[in-house]
Amino acid sequence: MSANLSDAAWSDFIENFFSPPNDLSATGHEAIERIVAQAKAAWLESPASPFLLPVSASSWTYWYAICPEREQRLWVGDLIRAYIGSWTEFSGKTVPEDSELPMDRAIRALTGPRGCAYRLLIPRDANAETKVHHSLVRLARSLAVRPYRRVSLARPLGRLIADFSDACAAGGDAKAQEALDLLEKDHRLSRANKLFLRLQYLAAFEKWDILEESDQLPDLIRLDRPVLASDALARLAMARLPQSADLAEFVQSTSAFGCLLGSVTLIRSAAGAQYYAFWSLSSGETAEAVAARLLGAGWLNQACQRSGLATLLRVPNAAKAAVAGAADPIELRRALDGGRLDAAIEVLALVQPSADLLPVLVELVTKTLSTRSIALLQQWRELLGESQIQNVLAGRFRDHEHEVAIAAERFGAALEVAFSDGVDATERARTVKQLRAQAVPRLMPAGALREVVEVIRPLSRSVDSPLLADLIDLLLDMERDLFVAAGDVAGIQDLRLIVVEAWALGDESGDRHRVNRLLDLVGRTLATGVSPEVFDELVESLRAGWAPFLTNTDLPLGLEAIEVLAAAQPETAGALQTFATLILSRIGPQNARRIEAVALETARMLAPDFGLELSIPLESGGQTAKGSSEVKPPEGSLVVIYSLMESAANRAAAIVRQWYPSVRVDTIAEKVATEALRSAAKRADLLVIADRAAAHAATDALKAARGHKPIRYARGKGSASLVEAVIQGFDVIFG
């Protein structure tokens, strides 16, 4: 809110607060004027601080301690006890939100549902009244010179990085940028790691021009990179290569990049698979060997999406292809120097095991964690003997021993062990970390994910409640990483349904972060198209687990869940009616004033779709007036809302038209760039994009057409998020 708007809100508040039944006046008395001035200064601070104001009504004296933010109430309550002591009774309870006293209504109008207040009754005793008055005046002065300090705890670094990854997976450009900004300011990350995260962001949202123009690109190519950073560079290289490019064109175009991905276990995208194939072939490897590796790792189809590679890798019996011939030390050196780890492993498979080459094999094992390299190490261990091998392994192998042990075990079996009773918490955390890191290469081979799903299904039903949350978080990460890497791979829908079921039946934590992630997963499930039976199963699971979120605070989350489900509901599915009724029927006169106006209006417009009519009392001037920005955009201003969820966009447009009658609102719901889409972006005074419910092609076109004009991004997919983005846009543009 701008300073002018805050000042205007304060003036209205003071006029209403110092009106009957309050016998005091805000002017004409030096002491009261001083207190009002202190209170105004506190309100106009950024963020606003708590303040005190007096009331005299029916010969009784009251003081209000007003908190602009509810999180301030405990601090203020402690100060009241410290300053007043036993001079007056103080219960520590805030003023009821449904109080109809004129002063209470004035406070609610000023702070909205985010604030609260204490009301103190001063006893009718001259001595006590004097003591309390002096104490409260000192408290008012103390609040003025010692404003409220928020406790700002550093968020766990793992959570920040996970939020960043979730936003990239969901297509939330703005949310990913917000998370990246926090990470780039975090002192716990090195400069190189911050650089790698920015690289991932630019690749996730295909901002190739920005990446190519970056003066840090040479450093990114030169540095020893994590897997995701290497794959991001491969995506850049392939984005700049024509779809029909042949081997010669690849070599010419990518000479600056080198061997970005030396093993199929390092591939994390279709572009990465294509780069790996092109680089291996250009280094002289046979098409049979390259195709066999890609097929075994589950990436051959993705590599063949390029016509040039499809021709080269169309090899009969590729699955049975093997490296033929005798061991060649020169070829081993060439493979190692070129970073072609898989080729080096294939050469080592042909040589006689020796202590001299053992360090080379160990390094290949730790870099690839491939089934082939681990099996080869075990063969050498048996042939050379444990005593001869230990001295060689001790130095290089020690730090990687645990991850290699996990990689050598079946993925499903490692999951079962990690979440079995009696496992040490530290050991479990180490194992879960390794399973998370190894999920994509371990689950991409044909049939691997389905095999693991058969383990997860009974495991999720048997794990004790305290451990179930950790299992669900791991499964959410696995699904996200697989989807980002290869899309809707075989078996991923089964995994998604198990995750939702496990959450519904066993997670009683009420964790909002987890349920938001779950809704992203549900959105991806529905995007593939599901049968009415599967849809109803999903909805029933959500309904079964939604009890902790049936609160006023979580209403926006519930509304978004309803809208996401409704946008993909098959014609004959019927479970959504019950779920929507569960959430919407809780809204009524008893809690309407405690709900944000945007959510309340969204619920009011959504209810008729389910045969409901909400009984919501109107405040004077209209309940929804509180939800709109006090900034009034110029008459005829054009707002354009883009979202693939047409119903949510239309609902948001209706709310904006209702609150801002002089504003024009258009909606766009196109998946590809069109001239109409570009024209709307150019003409709009404000463009709002639901980037978590959008198509890359359309959003790229919108951004290009928009130029330097402002764009606002919705925090979610639903109507309320879109309306909030419009209001924030008005504040920024016209405030």
Side-chain angles (χ1 to χ4, degrees):
M1 186 180 289
S2 68
N4 290 337
L5 290 173
S6 294
D7 197 66
W10 180 261
S11 297
D12 292 342
F13 164 68
I14 289 298
E15 180 180 350
N16 293 326
F17 188 86
F18 287 99
S19 297
N22 189 355
D23 296 329
L24 299 179
S25 172
T27 58
H29 192 288
E30 183 179 352
I32 294 179
E33 287 179 351
R34 185 166 56 250
I35 292 170
V36 171
Q38 289 174 345
K40 180 178 180 180
W43 169 252
L44 293 178
E45 283 182 0
S46 182
S49 295
F51 53 89
L52 288 98
L53 288 174
V55 169
S56 178
S58 303
S59 301
W60 286 91
T61 300
Y62 303 85
W63 278 77
Y64 277 84
I66 300 168
C67 305
E69 299 285 343
R70 295 189 66 85
E71 67 179 32
Q72 299 162 340
R73 69 189 188 281
L74 297 178
W75 178 64
V76 172
D78 288 342
L79 287 176
I80 290 173
R81 292 184 184 93
Y83 275 80
I84 299 176
S86 60
W87 285 108
T88 186
E89 292 185 3
F90 175 59
S91 67
K93 295 181 179 179
T94 56
V95 174
E97 296 180 4
D98 58 355
S99 172
E100 292 299 323
L101 290 177
M103 289 77 70
D104 299 341
R105 290 204 305 268
I107 292 169
R108 284 200 302 272
L110 177 70
T111 66
R114 297 183 183 278
C116 63
Y118 294 112
R119 187 194 309 125
L120 309 176
L121 175 62
I122 310 304
R124 280 179 173 171
D125 177 271
N127 184 40
E129 190 169 352
T130 300
K131 294 288 186 181
V132 173
H133 174 79
H134 289 321
S135 296
L136 288 171
V137 169
R138 288 199 307 273
L139 175 55
R141 285 200 301 266
S142 178
L143 288 173
V145 299
R146 214 181 72 183
Y148 174 72
R149 302 291 185 225
R150 283 183 167 86
V151 177
S152 182
L153 299 176
R155 294 173 63 189
L157 193 56
R159 169 64 66 85
L160 282 172
I161 294 174
D163 287 347
F164 171 72
S165 299
D166 286 341
C168 290
D173 191 336
K175 195 169 181 179
Q177 180 66 69
E178 180 184 337
L180 180 62
D181 289 343
L182 290 174
L183 288 165
E184 289 183 328
K185 295 172 185 175
D186 199 305
H187 68 279
R188 294 168 291 181
L189 282 174
S190 67
R191 176 183 174 275
N193 282 328
K194 293 174 183 178
L195 195 58
F196 296 145
L197 288 169
R198 176 154 289 277
L199 169 61
Q200 287 174 233
Y201 165 75
L202 294 175
F205 296 98
E206 300 180 359
K207 300 177 184 286
W208 307 125
D209 291 339
I210 297 175
L211 181 52
E212 282 186 314
E213 293 168 5
S214 171
D215 56 4
Q216 297 172 322
L217 183 58
D219 292 338
L220 288 167
I221 295 173
R222 186 182 68 255
L223 289 172
D224 185 20
R225 301 170 302 273
V227 172
L228 291 176
S230 294
D231 195 83
L233 288 175
R235 293 183 62 189
L236 167 64
M238 301 312 294
R240 293 316 195 209
L241 191 68
Q243 275 291 325
S244 58
D246 58 19
L247 206 53
E249 290 174 293
F250 170 82
V251 172
Q252 182 178 2
S253 174
T254 62
S255 58
F257 290 93
C259 183
L260 296 175
L261 305 165
S263 171
V264 288
T265 61
L266 304 180
I267 297 171
R268 293 296 184 273
S269 67
Q274 293 159 14
Y275 191 98
Y276 172 89
F278 266 130
W279 181 264
S280 300
L281 293 169
S282 68
S283 300
E285 297 183 36
T286 65
E288 290 88 345
V290 175
R293 290 185 216 134
L294 289 167
L295 181 63
W299 289 107
L300 182 59
N301 289 338
Q302 285 83 355
C304 290
Q305 289 172 3
R306 280 186 173 265
S307 56
L309 276 174
T311 301
L312 293 171
L313 297 176
R314 192 179 295 125
V315 179
N317 300 320
K320 299 179 181 179
V323 177
D328 186 348
I330 296 176
E331 177 56 31
L332 176 61
R333 177 49 52 195
R334 284 182 56 207
L336 291 172
D337 291 344
R340 294 180 291 115
L341 309 180
D342 290 339
I345 292 169
E346 289 173 353
V347 174
L348 281 179
L350 299 173
V351 306
Q352 185 69 27
S354 69
D356 292 339
L357 288 176
L358 185 59
V360 176
L361 176 57
V362 169
E363 185 173 358
L364 291 172
V365 169
T366 57
K367 284 184 176 180
T368 66
L369 295 178
S370 68
T371 304
R372 183 79 183 274
S373 66
I374 293 172
L376 189 60
L377 178 62
Q378 185 58 33
Q379 291 175 18
W380 283 37
R381 186 192 300 270
E382 293 173 357
L383 292 171
L384 294 175
E386 191 66 27
S387 59
Q388 184 179 352
I389 203 171
Q390 277 304 317
N391 290 335
V392 179
L393 294 179
R396 295 170 178 262
F397 196 69
R398 188 72 65 195
D399 294 340
H400 301 278
E401 192 170 5
H402 186 263
E403 63 181 338
V404 173
I406 297 300
E409 193 173 0
R410 286 176 44 250
F411 196 91
L415 262 177
E416 288 178 315
V417 171
F419 288 95
S420 59
D421 295 335
V423 176
D424 178 78
T426 302
E427 181 67 18
R428 179 181 294 109
R430 289 180 65 200
T431 302
V432 167
K433 180 180 178 181
Q434 292 305 326
L435 289 171
R436 183 179 286 111
Q438 298 176 21
V440 172
R442 298 283 300 278
L443 299 180
M444 277 299 296
L449 180 55
R450 294 193 184 280
E451 180 182 327
V452 171
V453 163
E454 292 307 310
V455 173
I456 294 171
R457 182 174 282 109
L459 179 63
S460 65
R461 295 169 181 170
S462 62
V463 170
D464 292 337
S465 182
L467 293 181
L468 183 60
D470 292 336
L471 175 60
I472 292 171
D473 287 338
L474 173 60
L475 298 180
L476 285 167
D477 288 341
M478 286 166 47
E479 185 275 339
R480 176 200 65 201
D481 294 343
L482 276 170
F483 176 76
V484 170
D488 295 305
V489 296
I492 199 169
Q493 284 288 68
D494 292 332
L495 174 62
R496 289 164 175 162
L497 293 175
I498 291 172
V499 174
V500 177
E501 179 188 279
W503 170 84
L505 298 180
D507 184 5
E508 300 173 355
S509 65
D511 189 309
R512 293 188 178 110
H513 182 263
R514 187 174 299 120
V515 78
N516 270 293
R517 298 190 68 199
L518 192 83
L519 287 181
D520 282 339
L521 177 145
V522 168
R524 291 192 284 270
T525 306
L526 297 175
T528 64
V530 297
S531 67
E533 293 76 20
V534 170
F535 180 88
D536 282 345
E537 180 183 336
L538 270 174
V539 175
E540 285 297 330
S541 292
L542 288 173
R543 186 181 64 81
W546 207 260
F549 308 101
L550 294 175
T551 66
N552 298 332
T553 302
D554 293 313
L555 177 63
L557 182 65
L559 296 176
E560 180 152 325
I562 294 171
E563 291 185 287
V564 168
L565 292 165
Q569 181 179 17
E571 286 187 12
T572 58
L576 183 55
Q577 176 70 41
T578 305
F579 181 53
T581 302
L582 177 72
I583 294 170
L584 294 171
S585 62
R586 295 187 65 259
I587 306 170
Q590 76 283 355
N591 64 345
R593 293 187 182 89
R594 297 193 291 275
I595 296 172
E596 293 279 1
V598 176
L600 199 61
E601 189 60 28
T602 300
R604 192 202 304 271
M605 299 191 71
L606 195 58
D609 293 350
F610 300 95
L612 303 173
E613 183 177 352
L614 303 185
S615 176
I616 303 174
L618 290 176
E619 297 279 352
S620 57
Q623 167 72 18
T624 56
K626 294 194 304 182
S628 58
S629 169
E630 295 186 42
V631 171
K632 300 304 177 188
E635 185 173 351
S637 297
L638 176 61
V639 176
V640 172
I641 298 174
Y642 171 66
S643 173
L644 289 182
M645 284 177 52
E646 291 187 61
S647 56
N650 292 334
R651 200 173 291 115
I655 295 173
V656 174
R657 293 187 189 105
Q658 178 179 315
W659 288 357
Y660 303 93
S662 64
V663 168
R664 295 176 295 140
V665 187
D666 288 344
T667 61
I668 306 174
E670 300 184 33
K671 293 184 178 180
V672 296
T674 63
E675 194 54 43
L677 181 143
R678 295 188 183 93
S679 175
K682 292 176 182 177
R683 292 183 292 108
D685 296 291
L686 171 62
L687 173 64
V688 170
I689 297 177
D691 53 359
R692 294 175 65 192
H696 265 312
T699 53
D700 288 346
L702 286 169
K703 294 172 190 175
R706 193 70 177 154
H708 297 292
K709 292 182 179 180
I711 300 175
R712 300 297 299 183
Y713 293 93
R715 59 175 175 77
K717 301 178 181 180
S719 308
S721 297
L722 291 166
V723 176
E724 288 170 354
V726 171
I727 294 172
Q728 293 164 4
F730 285 161
D731 286 341
V732 171
I733 299 171
F734 304 115

